[in-house]
Amino acid sequence: MLDAMAATWDTLARYRLIEILALWEGRVVASQIGEAFGIGRQQAQKVLRRYRERIPGNLAYDESRKGFLPTERFVPSFTQGRVEEYLHLLGTHQQLASPFTGLGLGAANTEALPMPSRVVSPQVVRQVVKASREGQRLEVTYASFTSPTGEDRIIVPHTLVFAAGRWHVRAFCEKHRDYRDFVLSRFRSVPEPCGDMLGDHGLAKDEDWHTRVEVRLIPDRRLPSRERALIAADYGMDEGELTLSCRGPLVLYALRELGMNPHHVETEPRAQQVEIANAQALTPWIHWS
């Protein structure tokens, strides 16, 4: 990746957006740059031209698609080429990155624990995004614990989700006739479009997805009162309770993010620290063991 300080912050952010859109959506146009940064079309076109001059060979104009496409020689120069960059962009909408990203801050007394990320193919993401936007069905080969080598499925995707350290796509599965989560790193080939959805199986009909669920957390009641107060302060609880609101299908993921296993109670309360106060209300979303 090129030295971030070789470009001004605003230019760096624009170049990053160009690379992210080109790599993960397969196309970038001047209007996207203009809308993202509040600049005119001519200025946005100038940004694209300067990027191509600085990194020749990465983008090529495609007349049929009226935009710039990544070439076979495309190599990210201002980004890391990781799917997290694109999906973070989708989540933030209004900003590409923190305005301090270009500073290269790395004080000697700070440390971040590196975590492994699941490998996700740009080609897979491009097809999933396209199908989600256009209401298309996708033929996929999907690997799971029941089919480790992969099984052919037809899905209708509608939303990308980051949960429990993995990127998923929420989609209607024609085999099971319901909505399910599919881990992007488990697609064993590039999905192939297979026509428009049969019936109404898009986002609007995913009732579980539109159901908001409250998860009430309290300090583990096995702890002494002083330790419960400490945990309550750690989590910013109000009167000893913290209420999280999330979509129904994401309840289990939310608990995993908190380091909680709903199917196992730690024998040592200090290891568990918090517990679910409304476990029975979560029964539709968690199969208690």
Side-chain angles (χ1 to χ4, degrees), residues 1-4 6-7 11-17 19 51 54-55 58 75-81 85:
M1 191 164 74
L2 293 181
D3 182 1
T11 300
L12 176 63
R14 293 167 186 179
Y15 288 173
R16 285 177 173 168
L17 179 61
E19 290 192 346
Y51 173 85
R54 184 159 184 173
I55 314 294
N58 259 11
V75 176
S77 298
F78 296 94
T79 59
Q80 296 178 339
E85 294 170 314

Side-chain angles (χ1 to χ4, degrees), residues 82-253:
R82 298 177 57 180
V83 69
E84 288 84 359
E85 294 170 314
Y86 171 62
L87 296 168
H88 173 70
L89 178 64
L90 292 182
T92 54
H93 295 291
Q94 298 301 318
Q95 60 181 30
L96 178 60
S98 163
F100 303 109
T101 300
L103 281 176
L105 297 175
N109 61 342
T110 63
E111 180 66 31
L113 180 65
M115 298 299 292
S117 58
R118 307 297 176 102
V119 177
V120 181
S121 162
Q123 291 81 9
V124 168
V125 175
R126 291 173 194 168
Q127 290 287 25
V128 168
V129 169
K130 185 174 185 294
S132 299
R133 290 178 175 173
E134 299 179 2
Q136 289 185 332
R137 300 156 71 227
L138 287 180
E139 184 175 348
V140 305
T141 302
Y142 186 75
S144 63
F145 286 116
T146 56
S147 301
T149 59
E151 177 187 20
D152 291 339
R153 304 274 191 95
I154 294 179
I155 65 172
V156 183
H158 69 66
T159 304
L160 292 171
V161 181
F162 181 74
R166 302 185 300 184
W167 285 101
H168 308 72
V169 60
R170 179 77 173 171
F172 181 80
C173 176
E174 292 192 1
K175 174 184 177 181
H176 295 284
R177 306 302 300 171
D178 65 2
Y179 291 89
R180 297 196 168 197
D181 298 331
F182 295 88
V183 182
L184 290 181
S185 60
R186 292 184 177 173
F187 284 62
R188 290 295 175 258
S189 61
V190 178
E192 295 185 4
C194 52
D196 295 338
M197 71 174 76
L198 303 176
D200 192 355
H201 300 307
L203 172 63
K205 292 297 183 179
D206 190 348
E207 295 182 2
D208 286 352
W209 183 255
H210 294 292
T211 302
R212 304 298 300 190
V213 178
E214 287 191 349
V215 180
R216 293 168 47 213
L217 301 175
I218 59 175
D220 193 310
R221 284 170 284 196
R222 295 174 296 172
L223 291 169
S225 59
R226 288 185 178 181
E227 293 185 12
R228 292 200 304 272
L230 177 64
I231 298 302
D234 283 346
Y235 284 87
M237 294 182 177
D238 184 13
E239 296 185 356
E241 182 174 299
L242 176 66
T243 300
L244 303 178
S245 176
C246 64
R247 298 184 185 275
L250 301 183
V251 168
L252 187 56
Y253 296 127

